[in-house]
Amino acid sequence: MARSMGQKVKPTPIQKILSKVRPAWIERVGGELARGMAVRAGFEEQLKRFFDLLEQSVTTGDPGWMDSILLDWAKSSTESDLEEGLYHVSYLINRMIALTIQMAKESLAKQQALDLLAAIIPIYTYCLGVVARYEMETRVAHISGEMEKVRKQMERVDRSKSAFISVAAHELKTPLTLIEGYASMMDEFKSRYREEDLQKLLAGMNTGIDRLRTIVDDMVDVSMIDNDLLQLNLQPIQVGQILETLKDDVRETLTSRKLTMEKHDFDGSREWIYVDSLRITQAFRNVINNAIKYTPDNGRIVIAGRTLPGFIEVTVSDTGIGISPEYQAVIFDKFEQLGSVGLHSSGKTKFKGGGPGLGLPIARGILEAHGGSIWVESEGHDEVKCPGSTFHILIPARREPADPKMARLLDTLGTKE
């Protein structure tokens, strides 16, 4: 009896200790971290996998078994985590260590707790080192990607500057030359010109001035859009009314170019919606002018549309030269023009006529300010077969004014009627 009392108690194998604490460990760690980190569904399964690999590492003495799950967790960092500099997996492992120590102290005998911690703390330490490396590599890759985006953006800015200089030189030269020529003629022959002749010269100068004013106004609009300074004055209007007005405005151009324009009534065209009528008209005008510009003489332009949930869609289709797929997004960027600026004709409404390349970017900015969008579909570019293009314009169908006072006013007016 004395000998038996003097014998050392055989320690419980570490595998048995791990099996004993497994359910409580998963419940404790899962409950704690799921609340603290808002971990997505399936986290408990991930913890079971982690504990299985932990047992395997303890049994074999090789912590490398943990690498697979650590890599998966490190790669699961979201884009927002990386942008905010968060290291969730390192935090996760550190909390596991703290909770494991706490649980061992509460639920195991002193010797068992020491045996457990002696076996798994080195593996936890290994995990922290691996995770730190993985997270640093992931973050470096993220930063490198962001730097590459910035580099490409700077290249685009440089190209935009170059394009602006080229466009400005080409577009401003024509009206300036026009004004200068008429002014010189008026100065040289003012004593011999009759009043009606002077009126013709003044009309020519005004044409050049109007062209300059249009270019400057477009540049101002682009600046306002880029700096989120575009203010909208929402008023009730029917899309069909805007389109009819624009069709009348371009009638003379259509006749001179022998183009036909069809405007179809469609579901939603007669609905009253709240938009900035001047800006939406400007956006439609830019799209229609673009269709006119790139449709050869004797071509056809069709305006149609439909209603979608929460939106009114307007389509402007033409039988023009089309747009290559690689340029279908580029055309909505500032100062982007297809082909050489110098090869464009000088008239704004002539086939492939000149322009600063701001019409479509301004249209997109106006529509996006309203909460809408614009995109184009085309089979490709072909100046012989003329596959045409279709521009899709989405306008939010706001049927109530944003200002409650205006709503009450309109209700009152409706009652009086």
Side-chain angles (χ1 to χ4, degrees), residues 9 17 56 94 128 132 139 161-162 186 188 203 232 238 241 281 285 291 301 339 343 346 371 387-388 406:
V9 178
I17 299 177
Q56 189 71 24
N94 276 306
L128 280 174
R139 182 148 187 81
K161 289 179 179 177
S162 298
M186 291 177 68
E188 184 176 353
L232 300 180
Q238 293 177 335
Q241 289 181 340
T281 299
R285 180 184 292 111
I301 299 168
L343 296 178
S346 59
M406 180 177 289

Side-chain angles (χ1 to χ4, degrees), residues 112-133:
Q112 288 182 333
L114 291 174
D115 291 342
L116 174 66
L117 296 178
I120 65 175
I121 290 299
I123 298 174
Y124 275 137
T125 303
Y126 171 84
C127 290
L128 280 174
V130 171
V131 165
R133 186 178 76 251

Side-chain angles (χ1 to χ4, degrees), residues 73-226:
W73 284 2
K75 287 184 175 179
S76 68
S77 297
T78 64
E79 193 74 14
S80 59
D81 293 338
L82 294 170
E83 290 175 356
E84 296 171 10
L86 301 178
Y87 297 91
H88 280 174
V89 187
S90 296
Y91 170 80
L92 181 67
I93 301 299
N94 276 306
R95 289 300 299 151
M96 281 183 176
I97 295 173
L99 291 171
T100 302
I101 294 172
Q102 182 181 357
M103 188 192 65
K105 181 180 178 181
E106 294 173 354
S107 60
L108 296 175
K110 183 176 180 180
Q111 187 60 49
Q112 288 182 333
L114 291 174
D115 291 342
L116 174 66
L117 296 178
I120 65 175
I121 290 299
I123 298 174
Y124 275 137
T125 303
Y126 171 84
C127 290
L128 280 174
V130 171
V131 165
R133 186 178 76 251
Y134 284 160
E135 288 184 329
M136 186 57 65
E137 290 173 353
T138 303
R139 182 148 187 81
V140 168
H142 170 73
I143 293 174
S144 298
E146 291 299 304
M147 292 179 66
E148 179 64 16
K149 290 179 183 178
V150 172
R151 185 188 66 80
K152 291 181 178 179
Q153 187 174 8
M154 291 179 66
E155 288 181 351
R156 290 186 62 187
V157 169
D158 287 339
R159 288 197 302 269
S160 181
K161 289 179 179 177
S162 298
F164 170 74
I165 293 172
S166 176
V167 167
H170 181 78
E171 291 299 319
L172 298 178
K173 183 178 180 180
T174 300
L176 285 174
T177 302
L178 187 66
I179 294 170
E180 183 182 27
Y182 279 116
S184 177
M185 292 171 63
M186 291 177 68
D187 183 62
E188 184 176 353
F189 302 109
K190 57 185 177 182
S191 61
R192 292 186 290 166
Y193 271 95
R194 294 173 299 175
E195 183 177 349
E196 55 267 27
D197 294 326
L198 289 174
Q199 291 297 331
K200 292 179 181 179
L201 294 177
L202 285 172
M205 290 182 66
N206 287 330
T207 299
I209 292 170
D210 289 341
R211 183 72 178 274
L212 277 175
R213 183 181 293 109
T214 299
I215 295 172
V216 172
D217 287 345
D218 283 349
M219 291 181 177
V220 170
D221 285 343
V222 165
S223 177
M224 293 176 64
I225 290 169
D226 283 347

